[in-house]
């Protein structure tokens, strides 16, 4: 599989007096995958995200994106074109007076011609299902809609990778669902590589792979289904468990002979149903 | 302090093209010493409702009674300062309101604003910082050196230091990680039980509303749709769905299972433990018929 991001021996601290907030991190991201980086507040996951598009540069080690090294001054703009980032607060990211102005802003900055801009604008808005709102003003939008506009602004720049830095944590449950659906479509249908920084494990179980951060270190890596087999470690680093895993563990503890693989509610219902019908 | 709304209406931007009726003839009762959750879709009027309790917003029509205080529409002179001393308000993202040089000074600001002496305010600040679990070696540092979750606890200590009898929480756990969420909610549960504080919490999280409150008020389109014990409210699955609300995930799961085994009933179970017991009962109960 083609590696689109390669992080080697990455360490970072905000200043010499501060301790390292990232310590010897090594991982790669495959092209087209949906990767979640999970950890509690303060585990270093947002700092890591900022290393991935060169917003901050490591003191030790290297970050390579699409073959470019982030610490290479000549390449930094190429890196940022390849990696789009959606941040936490929907209200801090809206710069345009209308939805279409906002999406066009990034393209203007990148010197995209007017004809191409028009085309990409309508395409990007269609992708995030905001085409009916092209002329709307931001204050008329919900948080989820604003985040979708932020995603459209990034999609219009045709990046290879989109990083969601806690992009759903300030949204209501409905807004959260909208964003997860949008991201899934971008990932599955349009083959965009997605890196989601989150502490919402209900969201993370949908991704292809998980990285677990704690105190600036990467402590585990794996597929959601494998990772949630050993739940003690996740608890110990202050992460909650997805609902289905909690339910499954509780039922097992009460003597119901279930497997340790169910991640989604439907799967657990299926398993319970099978168990019950074979009695 | 009992809180009563009588036919309260609130209109934003009256006589402008943006006129919006955010509360429409609302009558509700929140008993003294209760833990009440207000749930509802975004734009249903939840925040507008609670902002009337300490007079941040005034009613366009109707009357609000909070203990001995009465707020009526079209009434100018009201002793809101005394009311606000009794009713503390923890806004969304309260950590954005920290401003002082040190944590302890920040917590003192509230009580001193209400005329408490510096010595007394400091004493209260220390008490409240202990209560929210912030280690004392941090107290003389800048609040801006803290993590998000710690900053939020400092902001909450600032509200507690005024010694209110009612605390209003507007989405107190938004943006916190699961551990931080549990800590903040257990803190308020504890305060509620030990100090008999009346708590009014606006939340989007149905499990939190179910697990922590003894009364749930459902808002829809500026009106209370229903009010009652969580067991009763969350049994009205269809009604809740109609106004865009979910049920706690424990119940959602039980509904799926009940659906699969072909049973039509609703089981109010809010904790994982209760839900697991219900699952075993559902499976066992069905077995007897086979």
């Amino acid at each position: 599989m083609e590696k689109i991001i390669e992080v080697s021996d990455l360490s970072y601290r905000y200043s010499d007096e501060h301790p390292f907030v990232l310590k010897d991190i090594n991982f790669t991201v495959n092209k087209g995958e949906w990767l979640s980086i999970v950890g509690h507040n303060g585990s270093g996951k947002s700092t890591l995200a900022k290393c991935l598009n060169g917003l901050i540069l490591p003191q030790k080690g290297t970050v390579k994106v699409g073959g470019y090294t982030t610490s290479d001054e000549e390449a930094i703009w190429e890196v940022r074109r390849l990696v789009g980032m959606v941040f936490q607060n929907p209200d801090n990211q809206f710069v345009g007076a209308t939805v279409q102005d906002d999406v066009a802003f990034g393209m203007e900055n990148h010197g995209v011609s007017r004809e191409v801009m028009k085309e990409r604008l309508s395409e990007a808005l269609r992708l995030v299902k905001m085409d009916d709102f092209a002329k709307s003003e931001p204050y008329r939008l919900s948080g989820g809609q604003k985040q979708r506009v932020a995603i459209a602004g990034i999609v219009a720049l045709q990046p290879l990778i989109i990083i969601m830095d806690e992009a759903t944590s300030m949204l209501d449950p409905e807004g959260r669902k909208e964003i997860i659906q949008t991201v899934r479509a971008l990932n599955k249908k349009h083959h965009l590589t997605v890196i989601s920084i989150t502490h919402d494990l209900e969201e993370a179980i949908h991704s292809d792979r998980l990285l677990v951060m704690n105190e600036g270190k990467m402590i585990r890596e794996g597929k959601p289904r494998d990772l949630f087999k050993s739940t003690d470690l996740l608890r110990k680093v202050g992460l909650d468990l997805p609902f289905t895993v909690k339910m499954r563990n509780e039922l097992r503890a009460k003597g119901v002979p279930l497997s340790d693989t169910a991640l989604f509610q439907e799967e657990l219902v299926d398993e319970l149903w099978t168990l019950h019908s074979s009695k | 302090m009992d809180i009563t709304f009588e036919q309260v209406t609130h209109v934003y931007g009256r006589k402008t093209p943006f006129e919006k009726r955010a509360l429409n003839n609302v009558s509700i009762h929140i008993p003294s010493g209760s833990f009440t959750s207000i749930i509802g879709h975004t734009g249903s009027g939840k925040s507008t409702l609670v902002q009337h309790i300490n007079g941040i917003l005034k009613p366009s029509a109707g009357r609000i009674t909070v203990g001995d205080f009465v707020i009526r529409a079209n009434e100018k002179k009201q002793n809101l300062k005394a009311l606000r001393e009794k009713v503390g308000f923890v806004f969304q993202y309260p950590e954005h309101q920290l401003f002082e040089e040190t944590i302890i000074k920040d917590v003192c600001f509230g009580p001193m604003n209400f005329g408490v002496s510096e010595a007394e305010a400091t004493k209260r600040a220390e008490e409240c910082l202990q209560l929210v679990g912030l280690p004392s070696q941090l107290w003389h540092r800048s609040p801006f050196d803290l993590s998000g979750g710690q900053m939020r606890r400092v902001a909450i200590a600032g509200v507690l230091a005024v010694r209110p009898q009612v605390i209003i929480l507007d989405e107190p756990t938004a943006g916190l990680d699961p551990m931080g969420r549990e800590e903040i909610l257990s803190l308020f549960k504890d305060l509620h039980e030990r100090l008999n504080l009346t708590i009014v919490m606006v939340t989007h999280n149905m499990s939190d509303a179910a697990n922590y409150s003894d009364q749930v008020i459902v808002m829809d389109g500026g009106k209370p749709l229903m009010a009652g014990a969580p067991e009763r409210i969350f049994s009205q699955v269809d009604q809740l769905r109609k106004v865009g609300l979910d049920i706690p995930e424990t119940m959602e799961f039980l509904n799926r299972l009940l659906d699969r085994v072909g049973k039509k009933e609703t089981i109010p179970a809010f904790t994982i433990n209760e839900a697991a017991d219900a699952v075993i009962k559902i499976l066992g109960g069905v077995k007897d018929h086979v």
Side-chain angles (χ1 to χ4, degrees):
Chain A
M1 220 174 295
E2 193 184 334
K3 306 225 178 306
I4 201 162
I5 293 181
E6 291 173 75
V7 175
S8 338
D9 304 322
L10 164 67
S11 291
Y12 181 79
R13 58 178 163 185
Y14 282 94
S15 77
D16 291 345
E17 295 99 69
H18 285 83
F20 278 95
V21 287
L22 294 176
K23 301 165 193 162
D24 291 321
I25 301 213
N26 286 286
F27 69 97
T28 57
V29 183
N30 298 320
K31 196 171 178 193
E33 92 173 315
W34 177 351
L35 175 76
S36 290
I37 302 180
V38 301
H40 64 80
N41 291 352
S43 61
K45 56 192 193 306
S46 284
T47 308
L48 179 60
K50 292 193 184 92
C51 288
L52 299 182
N53 74 342
L55 272 180
I56 54 181
L57 300 173
Q59 280 106 357
K60 287 186 205 159
T62 55
V63 177
K64 268 188 177 175
V65 180
Y68 299 100
T69 306
T70 55
S71 48
D72 176 359
E73 271 176 45
E74 310 261 296
I76 188 69
W77 295 105
E78 194 52 30
V79 168
R80 296 210 179 129
R81 200 190 60 77
L82 294 177
V83 185
M85 214 157 165
V86 184
F87 295 96
Q88 185 176 32
N89 191 335
D91 291 316
N92 290 350
Q93 295 174 74
F94 222 103
V95 289
T98 63
V99 166
Q100 59 181 17
D101 287 357
D102 195 75
V103 176
F105 177 81
M107 289 192 280
E108 277 175 348
N109 267 348
H110 283 260
V112 176
S113 75
R114 194 173 167 77
E115 286 71 45
V116 176
M117 205 190 279
K118 273 183 169 169
E119 219 171 90
R120 288 204 205 161
L121 173 71
S122 48
E123 197 190 312
L125 287 178
R126 239 194 342 268
L127 259 171
V128 301
K129 299 205 172 75
M130 286 296 287
D131 33 345
D132 290 343
F133 296 87
K135 296 207 164 65
S136 296
E137 293 160 332
Y139 73 90
R140 297 193 177 273
L141 305 179
S142 71
Q145 289 173 327
K146 282 180 199 163
Q147 287 299 62
R148 269 145 70 196
V149 174
I151 294 173
I154 287 164
V155 168
L157 296 174
Q158 303 186 325
L160 288 175
I161 303 154
I162 184 164
I163 299 180
M164 316 277 292
D165 188 4
E166 302 273 7
T168 60
S169 74
M170 288 176 82
L171 304 179
D172 61 13
E174 195 186 342
R176 209 167 284 187
K177 273 183 215 156
E178 287 170 15
I179 296 304
I180 294 174
Q181 278 164 7
T182 306
V183 169
R184 184 185 293 152
L186 288 174
N187 176 251
K188 297 287 177 260
K189 286 194 208 141
H190 302 273
H191 311 291
L192 209 66
T193 306
V194 175
I195 300 175
S196 175
I197 315 287
T198 183
H199 48 63
D200 182 359
L201 293 176
E202 296 296 340
E203 179 190 321
I205 53 177
H206 294 281
S207 55
D208 299 319
R209 196 158 59 101
L210 283 176
L211 300 177
V212 184
M213 297 278 300
N214 189 45
E215 289 172 357
K217 284 189 186 142
M218 187 147 290
I219 57 166
R220 276 296 294 278
E221 180 266 318
K223 289 193 173 118
R225 209 174 289 282
D226 299 331
L227 232 127
F228 289 116
K229 282 184 182 169
S230 53
T231 51
D232 291 352
L233 177 86
L234 297 170
R235 281 241 178 241
K236 216 169 66 196
V237 299
L239 285 169
D240 201 8
L241 297 172
F243 172 79
T244 305
V245 175
K246 278 193 274 191
M247 196 69 216
R248 171 188 99 189
N249 289 353
E250 186 77 18
L251 285 164
R252 276 160 64 110
K254 286 181 190 288
V256 180
L258 290 165
S259 76
D260 57 0
T261 55
L263 263 194
F264 301 94
Q265 288 197 16
E266 300 83 357
E267 296 173 339
L268 189 55
V269 168
D270 278 346
E271 220 180 300
L272 286 165
W273 172 241
T274 313
L275 204 66
H276 155 72
S277 358
S278 65
K279 264 185 198 167
Chain B
M1 290 170 83
D2 276 339
I3 301 163
T4 308
F5 280 59
E6 288 163 274
Q7 299 177 320
V8 172
T9 292
H10 188 91
V11 182
Y12 284 116
R14 180 168 255 179
K15 289 178 187 152
T16 72
F18 302 105
E19 183 168 309
K20 188 179 184 285
R21 191 170 284 251
L23 291 182
N24 194 356
N25 207 14
V26 172
S27 298
I28 53 164
H29 179 66
I30 297 171
S32 184
S34 73
F35 194 131
T36 299
S37 289
I38 318 270
I39 60 175
H41 199 258
T42 305
S44 62
K46 313 184 285 292
S47 291
T48 306
L49 179 82
V50 295
Q51 287 178 26
H52 279 82
I53 301 177
N54 74 342
I56 298 173
L57 291 176
K58 301 206 184 100
S60 311
R63 188 165 90 148
I64 297 135
T65 317
V66 182
D68 298 333
F69 299 90
V70 182
I71 305 169
R72 289 186 193 84
N74 308 317
E75 208 174 71
K76 278 260 151 67
K77 215 168 178 269
Q78 282 152 335
N79 190 6
L80 289 176
K81 194 162 182 180
L83 171 65
R84 287 176 185 155
E85 195 174 351
K86 301 284 179 216
V87 182
F89 204 121
V90 178
F91 290 95
Q92 261 188 56
Y93 301 97
E95 60 273 21
H96 294 171
Q97 296 167 43
L98 299 176
F99 71 101
E100 268 286 11
E101 285 166 12
T102 68
I103 289 165
I104 196 114
K105 275 191 190 169
D106 206 286
V107 179
C108 286
F109 177 79
M112 283 170 71
N113 213 17
F114 284 106
V116 171
S117 72
E118 194 174 345
E120 167 68 11
T122 309
K123 200 180 118 229
R124 287 194 196 179
E126 289 173 358
E127 254 172 49
C128 293
L129 285 167
Q130 231 144 30
L131 213 54
V132 300
L134 200 81
S136 57
Q137 59 268 33
L138 297 176
W139 293 355
H140 293 278
R141 291 226 216 133
S142 161
F144 302 104
D145 287 343
L146 300 175
S147 75
Q150 288 175 322
M151 280 166 76
R152 188 165 301 186
R153 280 188 268 165
V154 172
I156 289 170
V159 173
L160 293 175
V162 179
R163 295 203 174 142
Q165 292 172 19
V166 179
I167 292 192
I168 301 165
L169 305 168
D170 194 354
E171 298 250 21
T173 61
L176 292 183
D177 63 15
M179 201 162 64
R181 205 169 67 212
E182 230 175 278
E183 275 173 19
I184 295 283
L185 287 173
S186 323
L187 169 71
F188 284 111
K189 185 167 184 253
D190 187 51
L191 290 170
H192 166 66
E193 284 164 2
R194 273 200 302 152
L195 309 176
N196 200 28
L197 282 178
T198 308
I199 296 192
V200 184
M201 172 168 83
V202 172
T203 182
H204 277 296
N205 189 314
M206 298 303 132
S207 296
D208 291 348
N211 278 316
Y212 290 93
S213 39
D214 33 51
Q215 181 184 221
V216 176
I217 297 175
V218 184
M219 292 293 292
D220 180 49
K223 280 186 170 173
L225 181 72
M226 36 184 175
E231 291 78 12
R232 202 174 73 77
I233 298 298
F234 289 113
S235 298
Q236 315 290 318
V237 183
D238 295 338
Q239 283 237 53
L240 290 170
R241 290 262 155 81
K242 229 188 297 171
V243 299
L245 293 176
D246 291 326
I247 49 176
E249 51 191 357
T250 42
M251 291 183 64
E252 202 178 301
F253 178 73
L254 289 175
N255 280 0
R256 275 177 201 227
L257 186 64
L258 286 161
D259 217 37
R260 179 62 68 88
V261 301
K263 276 193 172 180
K264 276 226 171 303
E265 61 176 304
T266 306
I267 305 172
F270 304 142
T271 64
I272 294 282
N273 182 29
E274 284 167 12
D277 286 341
V279 167
I280 292 167
K281 220 168 144 191
I282 293 168
L283 294 179
V286 175
K287 193 183 68 183
D288 293 341
H289 292 285
V290 177

